[in-house]
Amino acid sequence: MIGKSPHGFYFMRYFFLFFFCFFSLILYAQNITFLDSKTRKPLELINITGLPSNQTVSTNHKGIANISSLKNEEKIFVSLLGYKTQEFSYAELKEKLEHILMFSSYFNIGEIVISATKWEQKSQAVPHKITSIDRKSFQFQNPQTTADLLNTSGEVFIQKSQQGGGSPMIRGFATNRLLYAVDGVRMNTAIFRSGNIQNVISLDPFTMEKVEVLFGPGAITYGSDAIGGVMNFNTLKPKLSLSDTSLIDGNLALRTSTANSEISTHLDFSIATRKWGFLSSFSRTDYGDLKMGKNGPTDYLRDSLVIRQEEKDLVVKNSNNKIQAPTNYSQTNLMQKILFQPNKKLSLSYAFHFSETTEFDRYDRLIEKRDGVFRFAEWKYGPQKWQMHHLEATLSKETTFYDKLKINLAYQHFQESRIDRALNSNEKETKTEKVNAYSFNLDFFKTLGASHQLFYGFENILNQVDSRAKVNKLLTLTETVSQSRYPKSDWYSNAIYLTDHISLGPKLSIEAGLRVNHFGLNSVFDTSFVQLPFEKIKLNKVAVNASLGAVYRPSESWVFSSNLSTGFRAPNVDDIGKFDNQRDFSVLIPNEELTAEYAYNIDFGATHILNDAIKVDFTVFYTLLENALVRRGFQLDAKDSLDFNGKTLRIEAIQNAAQASVYGLQAGIEARINDNFNFSGDVNFQKGEEELEDGSKSSSRHAAPLFAIGRLNFTKGKIKLQLNLQYSDKVSFSELNVEEREKIFIYASDKNNMPYSPSWYTLNFKSQFSFNKSINVNFGVENITNQRYKTYSSGIAAAGINFVFSLTANF
């Protein structure tokens, strides 16, 4: 009889124990690497989203993601902009123990977006038109500011009054009829005005991870101001390590441009452990005076300017009339983020953003003349400051009321000022505004079966406005208090909102939304300078908004969508309480009899992919604005004029006194020529009109002319090249908005010596060379033919020929 070896028994027992533990560890960790199918390089920031819970994990810088938290999902979608979206079951992913290849696609219609509901959704399931700009795209385009970044989309028109600026126009609306959000937090404040605003430049383009633009009303999710569209700026996020080994990485960028002697420096670095992630970022940019192009209207040339010498204003000849002086300024941006994820269900994060510019001159005011004489010797904005503290908590836990919840607490501080002095005046006035903005959002996501999803939440917003004004007398060096721009005010908004998304089979889905919004305002006026019939204003109103949309997908190559929606803009402190005497003939005074303006929108869109070689999409839209808040003649104590600063001025106030409408078409094409060449293009047409005080009609001020872009791209190995052509149509005198016709100093003159905005084009070249996966060099030539032009409604001419060079290094 042969006996059993005890050594063999123990060996086999420990072998099976080791095998079991090792196999269990693999099942538990379930790490998968995602690679580019051609280069076999790892892909960072891939979204791996499970349905129906909508839980998402992302790949790290090594292309690795841990999918163990998605084991209970029915479907798992893997997506990255520029790559084909893939669908798996959890069991299928478990089999991919080595890696998954991602295949590049110029025709992705299933991208993951978050702007519609603040939760991740596939774009082909959303009835809104949403455009995304990913990090790779704007790293290649190299925009100087975030306003320029939006311009690279080819679907957002940018107006500039000075170099330190950029006011987007979307579907015929702009300024306080557009909504800005940073990481989902509302950026609009109670002093956003109807005139062009510059707040978008406070955001650092170097720290953008993805920018989404939602076209049309977004009031259900974002509330007041989201009439023409929503711009959602998503910044870089801290990462976590998938093992006990800490990870440290970062990015360094250096850039210079010739048209304005730009020098930019950026550094960000992150530290990642299994539960903690830290991200720090610093950017500094210095801009010199901007040089315009050589070929174009002579009206734009800066032949002379005002200088101060020996306590006198002197008009002197500009040594180079293509140099737009003074337009130089500098900007500093800081960002710090901390992420703590104690387990797979709970995530806590804190973010700090800081931005500050130096003073920058408002160029359009400095070139303004009356009877051939400069109106101002000085007109500048003081340092524009913005900071935000943002706390976010996300919990994934299936309950009766939610599967996921998200809490956002944010505090923002804004500071801006206006400094002006008339020509030959010894008095300089400074008006300073500060806003403390508090916001609280509680958002829920709930699945009611595989085909039914609810997105709902609560929002509370408070803006505290402090406004001061002073006059400095230059000769006596004395200072006096003057009439402030705004009263001391509290503006608030409270809302509840719901979006219901139902899939009626694999081809059709519908989405309905409802928002009930209570808003109000309390203002206290200083009547030392102007006697008003009231010292306080209180506003207490309710706005109700709804939307209904549908998406039909008859095949993988066709998507149709339609959306009916409303939007609103609650009157803010700028509407109700502003006191402004910038016009020679009138003065704007407060008005307490205001209510919200409403927008009613309908749009229809279609996307088609033809033979996996061409993608065509278009959207048509129509928006009607009722009870529009506009500036109109007004009476105070039964008088239509008042004496102010020794002048008799017509009294005006913001009133719900007009109707406006806009319609248009947005269309795009992408064509794959071969493995190396592809072409893309976008065209935007909008036509708007608004009601004037006498009941007649005028073209809409913020309806941009037809504009378009075409891009020819070449990619091979480490080289990427692009030649693009941008075009904007002219706006004749007869097509100009009535108010715009008065701004003869910013426009060219036609053959009848009337102001108009000429058409223009630019030819631009971009290139990128990757020495390795860590170092990239970019070189570009913008406005190759050196055109001299202004974008519509802009006070400053755009850059002439501009050579751009940048170096980026990843470590």
Side-chain angles (χ1 to χ4, degrees):
M1 185 177 179
I2 300 174
K4 295 181 181 179
S5 167
H7 298 288
F9 173 78
Y10 285 112
F11 173 80
M12 292 300 295
R13 186 173 70 174
Y14 283 112
F15 174 81
F16 281 115
L17 180 62
F18 172 80
F19 180 82
F20 175 80
C21 293
F22 178 76
F23 187 70
S24 298
L25 183 62
I26 292 177
L27 286 177
Y28 175 77
Q30 203 59 57
N31 291 340
I32 298 180
T33 302
F34 294 81
L35 305 175
D36 183 283
S37 62
K38 291 183 179 179
T39 65
R40 290 301 197 272
K41 290 183 178 180
L43 295 173
E44 185 180 3
L45 299 176
I46 288 179
N47 286 321
I48 306 155
T49 303
L51 293 177
S53 78
N54 230 27
Q55 184 175 349
T56 298
V57 296
S58 300
T59 56
N60 63 12
H61 70 294
K62 294 183 178 180
I64 299 173
N66 185 338
I67 65 162
S68 56
S69 62
L70 305 177
K71 62 183 179 181
N72 295 323
E73 305 292 354
E74 297 176 10
K75 298 178 182 179
I76 297 174
F77 293 93
V78 179
S79 65
L80 180 66
L81 192 64
Y83 291 85
K84 294 180 180 178
T85 297
Q86 300 184 56
E87 179 182 338
F88 300 93
S89 67
Y90 184 76
E92 290 172 334
L93 279 179
K94 282 173 60 178
E95 296 175 0
K96 310 282 186 178
L97 292 180
E98 293 186 2
H99 59 257
I100 291 178
L101 298 180
M102 298 292 290
F103 299 90
S104 61
S105 171
Y106 301 109
F107 314 119
N108 188 0
I109 58 176
E111 178 195 357
I112 299 295
V113 295
I114 64 173
S115 291
T117 61
K118 295 187 181 178
W119 296 100
E120 292 177 330
Q121 295 175 277
K122 293 190 70 176
S123 59
Q124 66 177 21
V126 176
H128 301 273
K129 174 178 170 57
I130 298 178
T131 290
S132 297
I133 314 170
D134 71 334
R135 186 165 177 79
K136 288 176 63 176
S137 175
F138 44 74
Q139 282 181 329
F140 176 67
Q141 294 295 334
N142 249 332
Q144 289 191 349
T145 69
T146 305
D148 298 329
L149 186 159
L150 289 168
N151 183 64
T152 65
S153 70
E155 297 180 271
V156 179
F157 194 88
I158 300 297
Q159 180 276 348
K160 290 188 178 184
S161 298
Q162 64 282 325
Q163 184 170 209
S167 189
M169 297 182 183
I170 298 175
R171 286 194 175 184
F173 296 98
T175 61
N176 56 15
R177 292 186 179 123
L178 300 177
L179 195 286
Y180 302 74
V182 182
D183 293 331
V185 177
R186 175 190 179 92
M187 193 182 188
N188 293 43
T189 73
I191 63 171
F192 268 36
R193 60 189 185 277
S194 60
N196 298 308
I197 58 176
Q198 325 302 331
N199 299 73
V200 72
I201 70 164
S202 292
L203 306 178
D204 183 1
F206 284 109
T207 62
M208 292 298 147
E209 183 174 284
K210 184 180 182 182
V211 177
E212 294 181 2
V213 181
L214 182 151
F215 294 88
I220 303 302
T221 302
Y222 295 95
S224 177
D225 304 0
I227 291 178
V230 176
M231 292 160 284
N232 199 357
F233 301 92
N234 301 291
T235 60
L236 294 171
K237 297 177 176 63
K239 292 172 274 204
L240 297 176
S241 174
L242 299 177
S243 67
D244 291 330
T245 302
S246 298
L247 303 176
I248 300 177
D249 59 21
N251 301 279
L252 173 67
L254 303 171
R255 184 178 64 222
T256 184
S257 305
T258 59
N260 56 0
S261 303
E262 176 217 10
I263 298 177
S264 292
T265 305
H266 168 77
L267 172 67
D268 69 72
F269 65 92
S270 61
I271 302 173
T273 68
R274 188 179 285 275
K275 293 185 177 182
W276 289 89
F278 303 87
L279 174 65
S280 302
S281 171
F282 168 81
S283 299
R284 169 74 181 191
T285 301
D286 298 293
Y287 305 101
D289 291 331
L290 181 63
K291 185 177 181 179
M292 68 180 77
K294 179 181 178 182
N295 305 306
T298 58
D299 308 77
Y300 301 157
L301 294 172
R302 177 73 153 149
D303 293 319
S304 58
L305 64 156
V306 179
I307 64 171
R308 183 77 170 174
Q309 186 173 303
E310 296 181 356
E311 299 182 346
K312 292 183 179 180
D313 292 331
L314 300 177
V315 178
V316 298
K317 182 180 179 181
N318 190 3
S319 58
N320 184 341
N321 61 5
K322 297 183 188 66
I323 300 293
Q324 300 173 93
T327 51
N328 61 302
Y329 79 103
S330 300
Q331 181 168 332
T332 301
N333 283 81
L334 301 171
M335 184 177 76
Q336 177 64 57
K337 289 191 173 185
I338 302 172
L339 171 66
F340 176 55
Q341 188 172 305
N343 52 57
K344 293 296 181 181
K345 294 184 177 181
L346 180 63
S347 175
L348 304 171
S349 65
Y350 165 75
F352 169 69
H353 299 262
F354 174 82
S355 174
E356 182 175 358
T357 69
T358 57
E359 292 182 346
F360 52 92
D361 295 87
R362 183 167 171 178
Y363 185 75
D364 62 339
R365 293 292 192 185
L366 295 181
I367 62 174
E368 182 179 357
K369 292 183 178 181
R370 296 289 171 86
D371 299 323
V373 179
F374 284 113
R375 185 182 176 191
F376 294 101
E378 296 180 61
W379 213 117
K380 64 182 69 175
Y381 289 108
Q384 180 171 294
K385 301 178 183 180
W386 170 68
Q387 64 172 285
M388 179 170 75
H389 300 267
H390 177 202
L391 287 168
E392 181 179 270
T394 303
L395 177 64
S396 300
K397 183 180 180 181
E398 293 186 13
T399 71
T400 304
F401 299 102
Y402 64 87
D403 295 332
K404 296 181 74 173
L405 73 81
K406 189 185 300 180
I407 301 172
N408 280 282
L409 286 166
Y411 162 73
Q412 298 177 79
H413 177 75
F414 300 81
Q415 180 175 324
E416 59 186 52
S417 55
R418 295 162 177 81
I419 306 164
D420 68 85
R421 182 173 63 84
L423 185 68
N424 297 322
S425 172
N426 291 312
E427 293 186 351
K428 178 165 65 175
E429 185 173 39
T430 302
K431 294 184 176 181
T432 302
E433 281 70 55
K434 297 179 181 180
V435 179
N436 292 316
Y438 306 86
S439 62
F440 168 74
N441 287 82
L442 181 59
D443 291 285
F444 299 90
F445 168 77
K446 178 63 182 175
T447 58
L448 303 174
S451 60
H452 193 179
Q453 298 172 327
L454 288 178
F455 310 88
Y456 65 99
F458 307 89
E459 180 182 74
N460 177 261
I461 297 170
L462 172 64
N463 282 192
Q464 296 175 326
V465 178
D466 181 70
S467 183
R468 309 288 176 92
K470 64 180 181 180
V471 174
N472 292 93
K473 298 184 178 182
L474 304 184
L475 297 182
T476 61
L477 301 180
T478 57
E479 180 180 298
T480 58
V481 177
S482 62
Q483 173 67 53
S484 64
R485 183 177 176 88
Y486 301 117
K488 189 174 183 65
S489 303
D490 288 345
W491 182 91
Y492 56 88
S493 171
N494 306 292
I496 180 171
Y497 45 92
L498 167 72
T499 297
D500 191 0
H501 183 94
I502 302 175
S503 296
L504 302 176
K507 295 184 178 182
L508 177 65
S509 62
I510 60 173
E511 190 170 281
L514 179 69
R515 183 184 182 102
V516 179
N517 206 124
H518 166 246
F519 62 88
L521 175 146
N522 295 313
S523 296
V524 179
F525 292 87
D526 179 358
T527 57
S528 303
F529 302 93
V530 177
Q531 294 301 311
L532 299 172
F534 47 80
E535 293 184 358
K536 297 180 180 180
I537 283 181
K538 287 188 176 182
L539 184 70
N540 195 347
K541 303 281 185 177
V542 173
V544 179
N545 282 263
S547 67
L548 178 63
V551 179
Y552 177 58
R553 300 171 295 277
S555 67
E556 289 188 2
S557 63
W558 277 102
V559 177
F560 297 95
S561 63
S562 185
N563 195 40
L564 292 165
S565 57
T566 65
F568 78 105
R569 187 172 76 83
N572 61 19
V573 177
D574 187 81
D575 299 307
I576 292 178
K578 181 164 68 175
F579 186 92
D580 181 30
N581 63 325
Q582 286 292 320
R583 298 184 179 181
D584 287 341
F585 58 87
S586 66
V587 60
L588 184 72
I589 69 168
N591 176 20
E592 60 182 340
E593 300 296 330
L594 293 182
T595 188
E597 58 182 15
Y598 274 87
Y600 303 88
N601 177 80
I602 182 171
D603 53 44
F604 172 81
T607 301
H608 179 52
I609 295 177
L610 181 63
N611 297 327
D612 202 30
I614 298 175
K615 174 187 172 184
V616 179
D617 67 89
F618 75 89
T619 302
V620 292
F621 64 90
Y622 174 81
T623 305
L624 176 67
L625 185 66
E626 293 277 9
N627 288 325
L629 292 161
V630 292
R631 186 167 178 159
R632 292 288 188 262
F634 194 66
Q635 288 191 341
L636 189 63
D637 292 334
K639 296 180 180 179
D640 59 8
S641 63
L642 63 77
D643 293 330
F644 185 77
N645 286 343
K647 296 180 180 179
T648 300
L649 302 175
R650 178 181 187 244
I651 299 175
E652 296 180 342
I654 302 296
Q655 300 171 59
N656 294 101
Q659 183 186 84
S661 63
V662 60
Y663 64 90
L665 165 72
Q666 297 171 278
I669 184 171
E670 298 176 50
R672 183 180 180 183
I673 301 171
N674 56 38
D675 288 343
N676 302 118
F677 283 96
N678 70 84
F679 173 83
S680 66
D682 296 283
V683 61
N684 302 267
F685 167 79
Q686 46 271 309
K687 199 77 172 178
E689 65 176 18
E690 57 189 52
E691 185 180 4
L692 299 179
E693 190 165 3
D694 61 3
S696 61
K697 302 288 186 179
S698 171
S699 56
S700 175
R701 176 185 175 189
H702 290 134
L706 181 145
F707 63 101
I709 185 171
R711 315 171 189 88
L712 179 64
N713 300 293
F714 172 82
T715 304
K716 186 173 184 180
K718 298 180 178 181
I719 298 175
K720 183 176 182 180
L721 308 175
Q722 182 185 96
L723 189 67
N724 71 63
L725 178 71
Q726 293 191 51
Y727 171 79
S728 178
D729 202 3
K730 74 172 184 178
V731 182
S732 66
F733 174 76
S734 62
E735 296 170 320
L736 268 181
N737 172 267
V738 170
E739 289 187 10
E740 290 295 298
R741 295 177 187 178
E742 300 174 3
K743 305 173 185 177
I744 58 175
F745 49 93
I746 69 171
Y747 289 106
S749 297
D750 63 15
K751 61 182 180 180
N752 298 316
N753 204 31
M754 305 302 287
Y756 84 112
S757 179
S759 62
W760 56 267
Y761 79 92
T762 61
L763 185 65
N764 311 280
F765 170 74
K766 302 284 184 178
S767 67
Q768 184 179 76
F769 179 76
S770 300
F771 283 97
N772 50 50
K773 59 183 179 181
S774 298
I775 299 177
N776 293 320
V777 172
N778 286 50
F779 174 73
V781 187
E782 299 172 343
N783 195 1
I784 295 173
T785 57
N786 208 12
Q787 297 298 300
R788 183 187 305 138
Y789 70 98
K790 289 182 179 181
T791 61
Y792 163 71
S793 193
S794 292
I796 190 169
I801 188 169
N802 185 30
F803 296 91
V804 184
F805 175 82
S806 71
L807 171 69
T808 59
N810 308 317
F811 57 89

